């Protein structure tokens, strides 16, 4: 059961790899909305900076997630602190106004005069592109948020020329007049800034300056980069997401402020949209914001709105007779205008240039906003295809300038149940090729076939695979596995030739590969393909092989890998052998015996007093008496050691009759050699043990 589950899992991986490797783009969906809540997580109800707060609030607002009530209190406190302060930086002022535009912390006519004065001064004194950007964009936000505020640039054209002086001939811009290095990211900032200058100008800017700027935009698009799947992007040190988003924001702002509009190549605009959709779900908050903000600019602009063709599923099951479904929407998933979708071609990967379907118009379902093809032609078979779609806009019904690709190519995988027929396994004689034993197989279930062969025979396995319309099917992978009793495995590929898939194993030529291992081999067949809905892993049975003895110089079978989790298996219990404890008397008897030993010593002391021995000088205090006893006891122990030594040297032993014999000279020699003057204390203890044991 586990092996069959593994086959299904491998089939799923193959299908995802084949269909996911091509360019299938989906608009923003609920997955982005759920991911945004994990990416933009405030700390204690607020964000580290007003810039992070603006990016989070802007992204959540675009995705339709209402978090203003949770963030407005702490964030508005920061906004109210920054706006009145004349010491605030231009960057802080800009993002404070940006957050204020979302949360409405300060509104109406209560405009902070200090911040307006600071922004106007910033425009006059600016030399760097970023200073122009923060000051001009800040003034634009003040004009939008505070009604009745008359903010205009007195010498707007001079400011425009000062900013334009930072442009380069290739369409890129510099951050500083003293820095010759140009940047595409800076170009996006410049477009936004110039758009703000145009909106704040009391009169129209010189048209020649506007035209020169449009020429620079056209040149900037000449440096755009492209992937093979039709996606376009700008790339620099800031990264492709940030750089491309900066350019798109600038283009949207400039197109909104300029009345004549921009004429940008539609193919590249669609390619920019596909680039951001192809990113997936970014893990970084900055990239997430740039992706959503850039797609919003493409969704709502005055130059062109790209439409994206997407498929709910790029896998079609012929067994279930699933229809082909297609959706056309904007990048944020909004409904597309009136249009028609046509399947121009359905190119099979196995054929050269031949199309299975030609110029088939799809029907439209208004409820699901889906275009679908109900049925496929009879010659449509399983396999991998490239569907070529064409979108035809009803331009009379569109107010916006929608654009699409001329042709959208989408990879499609058609799957179905493959018929398995004429499966058999046989053992053949090597000389004449006659069949010695043959078994019919049902590969849809496990078999219990039992075969036997020697090294002079062959094994043949054959079967036929056909598609739902009767064509020969060549699977992506088909292999036979022989597994020996010792767990040594051998894999052999099954090749398809003509209408039959067949495998011959000549054991005479395989003895070395089989390591001359005779015995029982389990037989297992695996057939799998991304287009095959009934991929299988079938246990056929076993074969007993009788192979020659292994020569001395022949290769030995490799060591089989051990289970990595075996190291965590409980170890065998360690049993220790201890000396059997000796039998001891009861505790009460031992105490009585101790008392009997102490009594003679007490009697000895009493006897000394009776004999008149002078012991008046013996110390009477506890400390001095203890020291004296230890001193005399140590001397007595040394004397006792000598006594025991000489008792062993001249001691007697008793024979079985009890006769006493004097110690021999050899005993004395042995004893003297045992305890020499140079012997250690440990050797003396050993000698004493020998003495005690012989007594």
């Amino acid at each position: 059961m586990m092996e069959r589950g593994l086959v299904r899992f491998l089939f799923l991986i193959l299908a995802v790899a084949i269909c996911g490797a091509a360019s299938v783009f989906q608009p923003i969906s609920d997955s982005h909305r759920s991911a945004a809540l994990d990416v933009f997580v405030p700390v204690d109800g607020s964000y580290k900076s007003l810039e992070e707060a603006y990016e989070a609030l802007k992204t959540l607002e675009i995705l339709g997630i209402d978090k203003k009530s949770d963030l407005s209190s702490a964030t508005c406190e920061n906004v109210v602190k920054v706006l009145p302060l004349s010491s605030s930086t231009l960057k802080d002022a800009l993002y404070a106004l940006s957050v204020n535009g979302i949360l409405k912390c300060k509104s109406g006519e209560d405009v902070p005069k200090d911040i307006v004065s600071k922004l106007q001064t910033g425009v006059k004194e600016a030399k760097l592109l970023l200073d122009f950007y923060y000051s001009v964009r800040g003034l634009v936000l003040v004009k939008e948020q505070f009604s009745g505020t008359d903010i205009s640039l007195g010498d707007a054209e001079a400011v425009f020329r000062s900013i334009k002086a930072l442009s380069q001939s290739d369409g890129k811009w510099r951050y500083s007049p003293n820095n010759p290095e140009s940047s595409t990211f800076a170009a996006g900032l410049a477009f936004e800034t110039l758009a703000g200058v145009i909106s704040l100008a009391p009169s129209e800017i010189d048209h020649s300056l506007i035209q020169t700027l449009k020429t620079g935009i056209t040149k900037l698009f000449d440096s755009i980069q492209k992937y093979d799947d039709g996606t376009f992007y700008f790339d620099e040190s800031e990264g492709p997401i940030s750089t491309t988003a900066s350019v798109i924001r600038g283009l949207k702002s400039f197109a909104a402020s300029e009345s004549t509009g921009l004429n940008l190549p539609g193919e590249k605009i669609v390619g920019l949209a596909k680039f951001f959709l192809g990113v997936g779900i970014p893990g970084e908050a900055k990239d997430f914001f740039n992706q959503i903000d850039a797609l919003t600019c493409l969704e709502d602009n005055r130059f062109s709105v790209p439409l994206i063709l997407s498929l709910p599923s790029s896998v079609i099951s012929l067994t279930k007779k699933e229809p082909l479904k297609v959706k056309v929407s904007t990048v944020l998933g909004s409904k597309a205008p009136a249009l028609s979708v046509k399947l121009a071609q359905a190119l099979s990967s196995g054929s050269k240039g031949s199309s299975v379907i030609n110029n088939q118009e799809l029907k439209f379902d208004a409820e699901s906003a889906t275009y679908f093809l109900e049925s496929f032609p009879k010659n449509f078979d399983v396999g991998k295809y490239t569907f070529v779609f064409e979108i035809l806009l009803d331009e009379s019904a569109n107010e916006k300038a929608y654009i699409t690709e001329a042709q959208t190519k989408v990879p499609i995988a058609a799957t179905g149940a493959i018929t398995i027929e004429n499966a058999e396994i046989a053992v053949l004689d090597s000389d004449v090729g006659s069949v010695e034993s043959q078994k019919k197989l049902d590969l849809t279930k496990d078999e219990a076939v039992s075969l036997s062969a020697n090294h002079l025979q062959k094994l043949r396995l054959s079967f036929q695979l056909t598609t739902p319309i009767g064509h020969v099917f060549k699977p992506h992978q088909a292999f036979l596995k022989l597994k020996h009793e010792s767990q040594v495995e051998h894999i052999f590929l099954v090749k398809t030739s003509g209408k039959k898939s067949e495998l011959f194993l000549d054991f005479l030529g395989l003895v070395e590969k089989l390591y001359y291992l005779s015995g029982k081999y389990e037989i297992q067949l695996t057939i799998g393909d991304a287009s095959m809905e009934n991929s299988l892993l079938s246990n056929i049975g076993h074969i007993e092989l009788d192979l020659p003895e292994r020569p001395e110089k022949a290769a030995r079978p490799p060591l089989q890998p051990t289970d990595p989790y075996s190291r965590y298996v409980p170890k065998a219990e360690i049993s220790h052998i201890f000396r059997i404890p000796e039998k001891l008397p009861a505790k009460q008897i031992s105490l009585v015996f101790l008392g009997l030993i102490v009594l003679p010593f007490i009697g000895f002391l009493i006897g000394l007093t009776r004999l008149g021995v002078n012991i008046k000088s013996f110390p009477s205090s506890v400390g001095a008496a203890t020291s004296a006893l230890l001193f005399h006891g140590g001397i007595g122990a040394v004397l006792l050691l000598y006594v025991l030594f000489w008792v062993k040297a001249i001691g007697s032993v008793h024979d079985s009759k009890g006769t006493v014999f004097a110690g021999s000279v050899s005993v004395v020699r042995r004893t003297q050699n045992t305890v020499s003057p140079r012997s250690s204390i440990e050797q003396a203890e050993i000698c004493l043990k020998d003495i005690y044991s012989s007594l």
Side-chain angles (χ1 to χ4, degrees):
M1 181 65 70
M2 185 178 68
E3 291 178 334
R4 294 188 182 277
L6 179 61
V7 171
R8 288 194 292 268
F9 175 74
L10 293 175
F11 168 76
L12 177 62
I13 293 297
L14 281 172
V16 171
I18 291 174
C19 300
S23 304
V24 180
F25 300 96
Q26 302 290 343
I28 298 300
S29 61
D30 291 337
S31 57
H32 276 79
R33 295 178 180 87
S34 60
L37 297 175
D38 296 330
V39 174
F40 298 100
V41 179
V43 179
D44 298 331
S46 63
Y47 295 93
K48 295 181 181 179
S49 64
L50 288 172
E51 180 181 3
E52 290 187 8
Y54 166 70
E55 292 175 353
L57 290 169
K58 182 70 172 178
T59 305
L60 296 176
E61 183 182 49
I62 294 171
L63 296 176
I65 302 173
D66 186 12
K67 284 288 184 179
K68 295 180 182 179
S69 58
D70 300 336
L71 303 172
S72 58
S73 177
T75 308
C76 278
E77 288 182 8
N78 296 332
V79 172
V80 173
K81 289 179 183 178
V82 170
L83 287 180
L85 293 178
S86 58
S87 59
S88 301
T89 63
L90 295 173
K91 181 178 179 180
D92 290 339
L94 171 63
Y95 285 108
L97 290 167
S98 300
V99 173
N100 184 68
I102 299 175
L103 297 180
K104 310 300 181 186
C105 302
K106 296 178 71 69
S107 60
E109 298 181 359
D110 187 18
V111 57
K113 296 182 180 180
D114 292 340
I115 201 68
V116 173
S117 175
K118 183 178 183 64
L119 293 173
Q120 290 175 335
T121 304
V123 174
K124 294 178 182 179
E125 298 178 354
K127 299 295 182 184
L128 304 178
L129 177 60
L130 288 176
D131 292 339
F132 279 116
Y133 175 76
Y134 295 138
S135 303
V136 173
R137 294 301 301 169
L139 290 173
V140 171
L141 292 176
V142 170
K143 184 179 179 179
E144 293 175 352
Q145 296 173 20
F146 300 97
S147 60
T149 305
D150 184 17
I151 297 177
S152 61
L153 295 177
D155 195 1
E157 190 166 309
V159 176
F160 195 100
R161 292 180 183 274
S162 298
I163 300 172
K164 184 65 178 66
L166 298 174
S167 64
Q168 298 288 89
S169 59
D170 57 357
K172 298 181 181 181
W173 291 66
R174 294 173 294 159
Y175 288 102
S176 168
N178 300 324
N179 186 3
E181 185 177 354
S182 59
S183 168
T184 304
F185 184 87
L189 300 179
F191 298 154
E192 279 192 87
T193 307
L194 293 175
V197 173
I198 295 173
S199 64
L200 295 173
S203 59
E204 289 188 4
I205 303 294
D206 186 359
H207 184 70
S208 62
L209 293 175
I210 303 293
Q211 192 60 38
T212 304
L213 182 59
K214 290 183 178 180
T215 304
I217 293 174
T218 304
K219 291 182 179 179
L220 182 66
F221 270 81
D222 293 338
S223 63
I224 197 170
Q225 300 184 44
K226 180 182 179 181
Y227 286 124
D228 294 336
D229 58 0
T231 57
F232 288 87
Y233 66 99
F234 297 95
D235 191 13
E236 277 187 352
S237 58
E238 291 84 357
I241 296 179
S242 297
T243 304
T244 309
S246 175
V247 174
I248 292 176
R249 275 193 294 265
L251 293 176
K252 180 197 173 181
S253 300
F254 182 73
S257 64
E258 210 280 311
S259 58
T260 59
L262 286 174
N263 185 17
L264 299 176
E267 178 191 5
K268 294 182 179 179
I269 297 300
V270 175
L272 291 173
K274 291 167 65 176
F275 167 73
F276 282 106
L277 294 177
V279 168
I281 301 178
E284 297 292 333
K286 176 70 74 173
D287 290 340
F288 203 118
F289 162 73
N290 283 324
Q291 180 197 38
I292 300 301
D293 190 43
L295 290 174
T296 305
C297 294
L298 293 172
E299 174 97 356
D300 184 17
N301 62 74
R302 292 183 57 185
F303 47 89
S304 52
V305 178
L307 296 177
I308 300 298
L309 184 144
S310 60
L311 278 75
S313 175
S314 58
V315 179
I316 300 173
S317 174
L318 300 183
T319 304
K320 300 177 182 179
K321 297 182 179 180
E322 296 175 340
L324 172 66
K325 295 181 180 181
V326 172
K327 285 189 175 183
V328 180
S329 64
T330 63
V331 292
L332 294 183
S334 302
K335 290 184 178 181
L339 51 82
S340 60
V341 179
K342 183 174 63 174
L343 178 56
Q345 289 180 313
L347 303 174
S348 175
S349 61
S351 60
K352 298 180 180 179
S354 61
S355 178
V356 181
I357 305 174
N358 293 296
N359 298 324
Q360 184 73 42
E361 188 168 345
L362 305 185
K363 295 181 180 181
F364 180 67
D365 181 15
E367 288 188 14
S368 60
T370 303
Y371 297 85
F372 63 94
L373 182 65
E374 287 183 323
S375 60
F376 293 93
K378 294 182 179 180
N379 60 341
F380 187 74
D381 205 353
V382 298
K384 292 180 288 183
Y385 294 87
T386 299
F387 281 15
V388 182
F389 295 96
E390 293 181 358
I391 301 175
L392 304 177
L393 290 168
D394 185 2
E395 297 180 0
S396 60
N398 301 329
E399 296 179 359
K400 295 183 179 180
Y402 290 99
I403 55 172
T404 63
E405 287 183 295
Q407 289 186 332
T408 303
K409 296 181 178 181
V410 179
I412 297 292
T415 65
I418 304 301
T419 303
I420 306 173
E421 299 175 322
N422 302 326
E424 62 181 23
I425 188 169
V427 175
L428 310 178
D429 287 332
S430 180
D431 297 333
V432 295
S434 60
V435 177
E436 180 173 315
S437 61
Q438 182 173 327
K439 303 285 185 180
K440 295 288 185 179
L441 301 176
D442 183 3
L443 297 180
T444 59
K445 61 182 180 180
D446 289 342
E447 297 276 2
V449 174
S450 178
L451 300 172
S452 62
N454 57 41
H455 66 287
L456 299 177
Q457 293 177 317
K458 297 180 180 179
L459 180 69
R460 182 186 68 192
L461 173 69
S462 62
F463 52 87
Q464 290 180 348
L465 301 177
T466 55
T467 65
I469 64 174
H471 292 166
V472 176
F473 181 76
K474 296 182 179 180
H476 181 264
Q477 58 180 1
F479 53 86
L480 183 76
K481 181 169 72 174
L482 296 181
K483 186 176 182 180
H484 189 254
E485 300 168 313
S486 61
Q487 306 302 314
V488 178
E489 297 181 353
H490 305 277
I491 295 176
F492 306 92
L493 296 179
V494 181
K495 297 182 179 180
T496 302
S497 178
K499 296 183 179 182
K500 184 182 293 187
S501 298
E502 201 168 30
L503 171 66
F504 280 95
L505 296 181
D506 186 357
F507 294 120
L508 183 60
L510 292 174
V511 288
E512 291 187 3
K513 184 175 182 179
L514 297 175
Y515 303 108
Y516 296 90
L517 292 176
S518 299
K520 183 178 179 181
Y521 285 80
E522 299 292 334
I523 306 174
Q524 190 180 75
L525 177 66
T526 302
I527 304 175
D529 193 278
S531 302
M532 186 176 178
E533 294 180 358
N534 54 335
S535 297
L536 60 89
L537 189 152
S538 178
N539 295 311
I540 297 176
H542 71 274
I543 182 172
E544 287 280 349
L545 286 183
D546 183 13
L547 302 181
E549 296 258 347
R550 184 180 63 83
E552 293 183 2
K553 296 183 179 180
R556 294 181 177 273
L559 295 176
Q560 297 305 302
T562 57
D563 185 3
Y565 294 101
S566 61
R567 59 185 299 183
Y568 304 111
V569 175
K571 302 297 182 183
E573 183 179 356
I574 301 175
S575 58
H576 297 280
I577 300 176
F578 297 97
R579 188 185 66 177
I580 299 175
E582 298 177 357
K583 292 183 179 181
L584 299 176
K587 182 178 180 181
Q588 293 78 5
I589 297 176
S590 299
L591 293 175
V592 171
F593 183 74
L594 177 63
L596 294 176
I597 294 175
V598 174
L599 283 176
F601 179 71
I602 297 174
F604 171 72
L605 295 178
I606 295 174
L608 290 177
T609 56
R610 296 291 184 184
L611 294 174
V613 177
N614 185 11
I615 56 174
K616 295 180 180 180
S617 298
F618 198 84
S620 59
S621 62
V622 177
T626 303
S627 300
L629 288 173
L630 291 174
F631 173 75
H632 290 286
I635 295 176
V638 173
L639 294 175
L640 178 62
L641 180 62
Y642 282 116
V643 170
L644 293 175
F645 171 75
W646 288 108
V647 167
K648 175 64 178 175
I650 60 176
S652 61
V653 294
H654 297 270
D655 59 1
S656 58
K657 296 181 181 181
T659 307
V660 179
F661 297 93
S664 62
V665 178
S666 61
V667 174
V668 176
R669 288 178 180 175
R670 177 176 60 82
T671 307
Q672 289 177 343
N673 291 336
T674 303
V675 184
S676 65
R678 296 182 181 180
S679 298
S680 62
I681 298 298
E682 291 80 0
Q683 291 173 327
E685 293 176 353
I686 294 172
C687 179
L688 288 175
K689 290 179 180 179
D690 292 340
I691 293 172
Y692 285 132
S693 61
S694 61
L695 290 178

